[in-house]
């Protein structure tokens, strides 16, 4: 609940379960130690967890290796629309702080639609490092 927000935007869902899992639950991997990116952490977030269908969304990512930022890492965003179609677009390479962001064009759908996306390391064939997240369309006129 955010009392300072405008009417209709005061109560917003938060993806706490997914964030808790990403932060505290480690899932076993069976890659035989061949993946040289075992210590890489991808942190992904969107500027607006709840957005209307006419606004541009911003997706941010930070890439760390044992807590140290990784520069010039290529990443790819894949957005899955409600009709099942997918759209991919590359991020600019990460900066000195290991961060990058890009904008997603507005997706014209109705209130209550969940937009699912994933961010993956690009051009690293043995890495399956991807982070899934979503945001909600709400507040349409």
């Amino acid at each position: 609940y955010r009392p300072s927000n405008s009417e209709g935007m005061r109560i917003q869902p938060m993806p706490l379960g997914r964030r808790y899992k990403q932060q505290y639950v480690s899932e076993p991997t069976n890659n035989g130690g061949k993946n040289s990116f075992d210590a890489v952490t991808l942190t992904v977030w969107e500027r607006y967890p709840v957005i209307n269908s006419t606004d541009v969304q911003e997706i941010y990512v930070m890439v760390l290796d044992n807590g140290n930022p990784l520069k010039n890492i290529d990443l790819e965003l894949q957005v899955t629309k409600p009709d099942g179609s997918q759209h991919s677009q590359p991020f600019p390479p990460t900066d000195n702080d290991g961060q990058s962001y890009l904008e997603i064009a507005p997706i014209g759908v109705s209130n209550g639609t969940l937009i699912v996306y994933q961010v993956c390391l690009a051009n690293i064939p043995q890495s399956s490092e991807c982070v899934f997240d979503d945001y909600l369309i709400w507040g349409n006129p």
Side-chain angles (χ1 to χ4, degrees):
Y1 180 72
R2 296 181 175 141
S4 61
N5 285 2
S6 64
E7 185 70 32
M9 295 299 288
R10 291 184 182 149
I11 297 176
Q12 299 178 353
M14 299 291 291
L16 299 177
R18 178 175 291 127
R19 290 193 178 145
Y20 176 87
K21 183 179 178 189
Q22 288 173 342
Q23 187 170 359
Y24 296 107
V25 178
S26 61
E27 297 180 14
T29 59
N30 187 12
N31 59 7
K34 295 179 183 176
N35 186 348
S36 63
F37 288 91
D38 288 337
V40 170
T41 303
L42 291 181
T43 303
V44 176
W45 66 98
E46 62 277 342
R47 180 167 185 179
Y48 307 105
V50 178
I51 190 171
N52 72 48
S53 65
T54 60
D55 289 337
V56 173
Q57 179 64 279
E58 296 173 9
I59 305 295
Y60 294 84
V61 65
M62 181 182 341
V63 183
L64 303 174
D65 181 14
N66 286 318
N68 299 311
L70 290 177
K71 182 180 176 183
N72 293 326
I73 300 297
D74 294 324
L75 301 144
E76 183 154 342
L77 172 77
Q78 185 173 51
V79 177
T80 303
K81 296 181 182 178
D83 64 2
S85 65
Q86 295 182 332
H87 169 73
S88 294
Q89 110 184 53
F91 276 85
T94 55
D95 61 16
N96 289 337
D97 295 327
Q99 296 186 30
S100 183
Y101 89 99
L102 57 80
E103 296 179 344
I104 299 175
I107 301 174
V109 293
S110 60
N111 283 338
T113 303
L114 198 62
I115 304 298
V116 179
Y117 66 90
Q118 70 176 351
V119 176
C120 299
L121 293 172
N123 303 324
I124 303 172
Q126 294 181 345
S127 175
S128 61
E129 184 70 34
C130 294
V131 175
F132 293 84
D133 209 343
D134 55 54
Y135 60 93
L136 182 67
I137 301 296
W138 197 263
N140 288 330

